[in-house]
Amino acid sequence: MRLGIISALQEEQEGLVEAMQGPYKLIHGMREYVAGRLWEIDAVCVLSRIGKVAAATTATLLVEKFGVTHILFTGVAGAGDAAIKVGDIVVAESLVQHDMDASPLFPRFEVPLTGLSHFASDRQLALDLHDAARFFLETDFIHAIDARERADFGLRAPRVHRGLVGSGDQFVGDREHIQSLGKALPGLLAVEMEGAAVAQVCFELGVSYGVIRTISDNANENAATDFMRFVKSVAARYAFYIVRQFCRQVRSRIQASKDSAGT
Ligand code: SAH
């Protein structure tokens, strides 16, 4: 396994890059790729920057130039449903490009010539991410996030959700917009700007992928308030602990299968 880890914003990935053992940096196409070992997993970390094209390019290069076999996207997102709160975690089971519309030639949301609007993420990666996120909330959350940040952002009992994530080249910061997306896409849990682009690339190249997002805002008029503070003091810490637990889980599964093959 060679794991590619993508985030959109620098603050989201800093801790992971610092934790990397034997880091080796390579700059290509205006991005810095850092390869090394993360908790015993061979990994490459990179910032995609924001938006679908940026994410698609980054995912393609991770596969074609860096030989990754699995891709993980960690980042923040706006809530797509009133039941999803700031500080909750959403693991994508499927992803849709919510701004794709080639109707009437193709149904709204369908990516032309793929026959698909919803791209399913890898089941095992989604399960591992879900377990790692739950583990984080149950064990590390209380120490990892400052009491002041928990109070200021109203983080009481964050939860993990699994389901549909929508991506588009728009920061959704308008109540009517998020409500109409929710109506058009039943089960929509979160909106962001990269995940579904990575999903399409991975689908086309036959690479496994998972997407995990910490909810930073309600995708309404208040969405941009304190956004960067949340990313730095809350979401970056979530990403660090969840990816650490994810790598440990994957590592022990690899070890267990080696052990059973050896006996
Ligand atoms: N204020 C930031 C811009 C962040 S853009 C800056 O100045 O750099 C938003 C990023 O967070 C994107 O990478 C996107 O994936 C995610 N995101 C968080 N909330 C979002 C929302 N409400 N709508 C769309 N994307 C959102």
Side-chain angles (χ1 to χ4, degrees), residues 107-162:
R108 186 178 175 197
F109 304 123
E110 184 169 308
V111 177
L113 310 181
T114 63
L116 291 174
S117 58
H118 292 50
F119 290 74
S121 65
D122 182 76
R123 262 180 67 83
Q124 185 63 54
L125 287 181
L127 271 176
D128 275 328
L129 286 171
H130 181 262
D131 290 350
R134 285 197 57 172
F135 180 88
F136 162 68
L137 290 178
E138 284 161 14
T139 57
D140 295 310
F141 169 77
I142 206 84
H143 323 288
I145 313 296
D146 226 56
R148 164 116 198 258
E149 309 295 345
R150 277 187 267 127
D152 285 1
F153 289 109
L155 312 178
R156 279 172 210 95
R159 296 192 302 148
V160 190
H161 311 265
R162 272 185 289 186

Side-chain angles (χ1 to χ4, degrees), residues 179-190:
Q179 280 171 357
S180 77
L181 285 176
K183 275 201 194 108
L185 291 165
L188 183 69
L189 299 183

Side-chain angles (χ1 to χ4, degrees), residues 8 50 76-78 170-172 191-194 213 216-217 219 227:
I50 298 165
V76 291
Q170 292 150 345
F171 184 82
V172 181
V191 285
E192 35 87 316
M193 301 177 69
E194 299 85 14
R213 295 279 184 172
S216 54
D217 58 81
F227 178 84

